[in-house]
Amino acid sequence: MSLAPFLSPESVAIVGASDNPDKIGGRPIRYLREFGFKGDVFPINPGRDTVQGLKAYASLADLPKVPDAVIIAVAGTGVVDTVNTCAALGVKAAIVMASGFGETGPEGKRIEAEMRETAHKAGMRIVGPNSQGLANFGTGAVLSFSTMFIEAQPEDGPVACISQSGAMSVVPYGMLRARGIGVRHCHATGNDSDVNVAELAAEVVQDPDVKLLLLYLESLPDPAALARTAAIAKERDVPIIAVKSGRTAAGSRAAQSHTGAIATEDRIVDAFFAKNGIWRAKGMRDLVRAAELYLKGWKPVGRSLAVISNSGATCVLAVDAAEHAGLEMAEFPPAIEDELRSILPGFASPRNPVDITAALLTDSGLFSRVLPAAGRDTSVDMFLVGIPVSGKGYDFPRFAADTGAFLKDGGKPVVLAAPQASVREAFAREGVPVFETEDDAVEAMTQFVNHRALMARSRPGAPAAARPPAPLEGLDENRSLQLIAAAGVTVARHRLCTTLDAARSFLEDAPGKIVLKACSAAIPHKSEHGLVRLNIDSEEALASAYADLVAGVERLGQPFEGLLACDQVKGERELVIGGYHDPVFGPAVVIGDGGITVEAMPDNVLLLSPFDEAEVMDALQTLRIAPLFRGVRGQPPLDAGAVARAAIAVGKLLCDETADVRSVDVNPLIVSASGAIAVDALVEVAATATARAAAQ
């Protein structure tokens, strides 16, 4: 069912229409008339002949035709009755503004479900309840009661703001309008009982005039729809920036698994956004801060920055901010430095950052000469102009014009940092993105280049199918190693030994030292109980270790199920690969530095299945230990490909519905220059999976 009737209706009816243009039932009528809507507007109010100068009707049934969209601005049982009437008449789109439904509890959700079922049977869709409304300033279809459209005069533009919250749909709108940026779409979906925020975003991002999509999300009930939005956005090269509120750990995680502690709900959202090229903003300021940079259509290929200012202090502060943010300060080649030296006063340095000095006060043409000279350095990706002090005596309108001309000719990002509003206004008129401080400017540029890089490497796609939560059963290490080996993870040679003779036989066949450890599903973290023995290379050491471990298991009050003998594997680094089945996003895989400090000193990254080797290789480069995969101090690089293959195998195991694996811990994975071998594993399955296997 198309969502076009919500965005481009040819006729709109308002049930609960008010003659007062400042009431919820009156605002949409006012807006439709003021903001250019060309279609029919039908106020429904049985107590009036006219509403705001328009003919009023007693009911929807009295209208001369069936409207495309109906705004339901009544409360209580009137909402359900109106939805039923709309469905019976063949209305295609209904916007329910009333609250008191799903947000109040189970009974409210039940009523929402009934309204949704009624609507779908009739081919109708519902936005809301608890929706502030939708606004498309391109068509004039402003079906909203927001006060913000009075406070900040609308102007059609290239930005779309979509939110589950009414307030958070218009806050970015107001901030953008204060900066002179036009907004086309401003929508609030409310409770998402039918049309959800991601589904609406997928429709809006297809608007050919939308160049930037901003989202405010309180929940993610439909990751597949948001992934579909991201795929469309990537094809159209439309950046998506999102605020996801509620940065909290998930309430339920696999109790025995390190991965359960690492793969929090918030980190899984981060991983989903990264996979789909969506930039996650921390709040409203982050959501809109870099908007002008995105809308210029710039596509920087690198992270190198040149700074030009009339203040040495601004130069230093800008460099500090850039280095802290991970940008690179460009180094001008000798020819560029020579050209700058010929332009600048003798006491000014031609190196980056370029301090024009107070000479700008007497020579207003310095910008017109310095910027093009620096711009001839093709290695520079971005420019920051800093003017901390200007005003009387400074020809800052000329500075702005010269910078604007350079921006238009160069095709590279150029921004201004200036605390004085008059200076910023002059530059903004020339099309230069402006910021109050160099910190703000650098943060915006950093977000912009990082997001463009994220978009370039993203592979939008819906996550693997999620499964409902289930009671978990931990497997012993022997069974866990067998499962991951069958999935494709290379594991150390091992054997479950229930007698000393069996352990002795394993030692005799070993190429070197072996490890002996307790093997019981009831003791998942053996090292914490002293139930692991290393460096066993003789029958005497084996017999002693065997006796100690059997006694240790008995002290814990657990039945003896055998000891696991493993070859002692050598390598350069211990990594962890873990997996967890999230109930919303499906299989999530953690890759990172391993060992006993995996939770205390975390250095890991999270990916959502399905993913490929290239995605793992990109993810490894975000770790603090990334240099080890390139080789450090003469040491050969760790085998990143082997790590990637192990991670992919764990992801596939989690996707295997027959095994119903819910949690995997491979820790440590011993990595060397020529491979990666799992020497310990902990797997948890849904208890129902074990029952099915027993029945077979």
Side-chain angles (χ1 to χ4, degrees):
M1 291 177 274
S2 171
L3 301 185
F6 288 106
L7 304 178
S8 303
E10 294 184 2
S11 55
V12 178
I14 302 91
V15 177
S18 173
D19 197 51
N20 185 337
D22 289 325
K23 296 290 187 181
I24 290 177
R27 284 270 175 82
I29 299 171
R30 170 183 176 177
Y31 291 159
L32 288 166
R33 301 184 73 189
E34 287 186 5
F35 299 147
F37 181 65
K38 303 300 184 185
D40 296 319
V41 179
F42 300 124
I44 307 297
N45 186 325
R48 300 187 65 91
D49 294 329
T50 62
V51 171
Q52 296 185 43
L54 297 174
K55 175 179 171 56
Y57 297 85
S59 69
L60 287 167
D62 294 328
L63 295 180
K65 65 179 181 180
V66 176
D68 291 334
V70 173
I71 298 171
I72 302 176
V74 295
T77 58
V79 172
V80 177
D81 293 341
T82 304
V83 167
N84 291 339
T85 300
C86 288
L89 290 173
V91 173
K92 297 302 181 185
I95 301 169
V96 180
M97 293 178 168
S99 57
F101 290 88
E103 74 277 14
T104 65
E107 177 61 17
K109 289 186 180 298
R110 183 191 65 78
I111 296 172
E112 286 184 352
E114 290 181 355
M115 290 193 296
R116 180 172 62 248
E117 183 179 0
T118 298
H120 285 194
K121 285 180 179 178
M124 184 174 79
R125 302 299 305 275
I126 298 173
V127 165
N130 198 27
S131 169
Q132 189 169 263
L134 313 178
N136 180 352
F137 295 105
T139 62
V142 183
L143 318 179
S144 169
F145 65 86
S146 174
T147 305
M148 186 65 77
F149 304 145
I150 299 172
E151 301 301 315
Q153 185 67 21
E155 179 181 309
D156 189 15
V159 184
C161 305
I162 307 178
S163 167
Q164 289 162 315
S165 158
M168 292 306 107
S169 70
V170 294
V171 166
Y173 163 90
M175 297 171 75
L176 291 166
R177 292 299 301 120
R179 288 156 61 169
I181 299 173
V183 177
R184 167 157 294 186
H185 296 274
C186 189
H187 308 313
T189 59
N191 289 359
D192 282 13
S193 70
D194 180 18
V195 177
N196 63 55
V197 66
E199 186 182 4
L200 186 60
E203 183 83 15
V204 166
V205 80
Q206 297 178 68
D207 185 328
D209 292 319
V210 169
K211 307 301 180 187
L212 177 64
L213 176 59
L214 307 181
L215 303 176
Y216 176 83
L217 309 170
E218 293 175 346
S219 63
L220 277 174
D222 194 352
L226 189 53
R228 191 162 58 249
T229 301
I232 298 168
K234 180 162 185 172
E235 184 177 348
R236 291 199 56 239
D237 197 32
V238 175
I240 302 176
I241 309 172
V243 170
K244 167 62 177 68
S245 62
R247 287 177 170 262
T248 58
S252 173
R253 282 292 178 260
Q256 296 180 346
S257 170
H258 287 301
T259 306
I262 294 168
T264 62
E265 177 183 337
D266 199 55
R267 291 200 65 196
I268 291 175
V269 170
D270 284 341
F272 175 79
F273 281 0
K275 182 179 183 68
N276 286 282
I278 299 171
W279 185 263
R280 187 173 187 181
K282 298 182 182 69
M284 288 296 110
R285 178 171 170 269
D286 280 357
L287 188 67
V288 304
R289 176 174 52 201
E292 288 94 339
L293 279 72
Y294 289 100
L295 297 176
K296 293 294 183 184
W298 289 321
K299 296 182 181 179
V301 296
R303 307 170 58 80
S304 123
L305 174 68
V307 176
I308 300 169
S309 176
N310 64 333
S311 163
T314 294
C315 288
V316 172
L317 289 171
V319 171
D320 287 347
E323 291 184 350
H324 179 73
L327 299 184
E328 303 164 3
M329 294 303 297
E331 292 187 14
F332 295 142
I336 299 295
E337 287 192 3
D338 288 344
E339 184 175 0
L340 289 170
R341 191 175 288 111
S342 69
I343 297 169
L344 294 166
F347 50 84
S349 171
R351 295 180 178 177
N352 185 30
V354 180
D355 179 9
I356 296 178
T357 74
L360 188 62
L361 187 60
T362 55
D363 185 353
S364 296
L366 278 176
F367 267 121
S368 67
R369 302 194 298 276
V370 168
L371 275 169
R376 279 187 274 277
D377 182 356
T378 56
S379 70
V380 178
D381 298 302
M382 300 170 288
F383 296 85
L384 188 156
V385 174
I387 304 180
V389 179
S390 187
K392 188 175 182 179
Y394 286 92
D395 190 2
F396 62 83
R398 179 178 177 182
F399 308 158
D402 290 342
T403 305
F406 173 73
L407 180 153
K408 293 180 180 67
D409 292 341
K412 292 182 178 181
V414 183
V415 303
L416 170 81
Q420 291 171 279
S422 58
V423 177
R424 293 197 303 275
E425 289 167 4
F427 276 76
R429 284 194 295 270
E430 298 294 337
V432 180
V434 299
F435 301 90
E436 193 169 359
T437 69
E438 52 279 339
D439 285 342
D440 287 339
V442 168
E443 287 177 9
M445 285 189 291
T446 303
Q447 172 185 323
F448 174 64
V449 297
N450 286 347
H451 190 185
R452 293 299 314 190
L454 177 67
M455 291 172 63
R457 66 176 183 268
S458 67
R459 296 168 177 82
R467 296 175 202 157
L472 301 184
E473 179 179 343
L475 306 182
D476 64 39
E477 186 178 347
N478 184 51
R479 293 171 67 195
S480 296
L481 286 171
Q482 290 172 346
L483 263 180
I484 67 169
V489 178
T490 301
V491 303
R493 190 181 71 99
H494 62 281
R495 184 183 302 163
L496 181 63
C497 303
T498 56
T499 66
L500 178 57
D501 284 343
R504 188 179 294 118
S505 174
F506 184 86
L507 176 62
E508 289 172 355
D509 295 336
K513 297 177 180 180
I514 70 167
V515 178
L516 201 63
K517 44 191 170 180
C519 187
S520 170
I523 312 173
H525 300 301
K526 299 167 288 293
S527 60
E528 295 177 6
H529 299 285
L531 297 180
V532 178
R533 297 291 184 271
L534 306 172
N535 300 313
I536 298 172
D537 58 2
S538 67
E539 289 193 15
E540 293 79 7
L542 177 67
S544 175
Y546 194 97
D548 285 349
L549 292 175
V550 171
V553 172
E554 292 175 349
R555 280 195 303 273
L556 291 175
Q558 299 297 334
F560 176 72
E561 301 174 28
L563 302 181
L564 195 67
C566 301
D567 285 342
Q568 188 160 314
V569 177
K570 293 181 179 180
E572 303 301 324
R573 195 77 178 189
E574 292 186 355
L575 267 64
V576 61
I577 294 180
Y580 171 78
H581 212 288
D582 184 83
V584 174
F585 294 96
V589 176
V590 172
I591 311 163
D593 208 8
I596 61 174
T597 61
V598 64
E599 292 179 43
M601 296 186 292
D603 178 24
N604 47 66
V605 64
L606 193 150
L607 295 171
L608 293 179
S609 292
F611 52 83
D612 57 25
E613 185 169 328
E615 288 177 85
V616 180
M617 302 295 256
D618 285 342
L620 292 176
Q621 295 308 309
T622 67
L623 300 174
R624 291 194 298 274
I625 62 169
L628 299 180
F629 294 101
R630 299 188 290 270
V632 176
R633 298 178 68 89
Q635 296 296 313
L638 298 181
D639 190 342
V643 175
R645 289 188 290 275
I648 291 169
V650 168
K652 288 181 177 178
L653 178 59
L654 288 164
C655 292
D656 183 353
E657 293 186 8
T658 58
D660 209 358
V661 170
R662 298 301 182 95
S663 174
V664 179
D665 247 8
V666 179
N667 183 30
L669 181 78
I670 305 296
V671 185
S672 66
S674 57
I677 300 176
V679 298
D680 199 345
L682 169 62
V683 171
E684 291 176 309
V685 300
T688 52
T690 307
R692 286 198 306 269
Q696 295 172 354

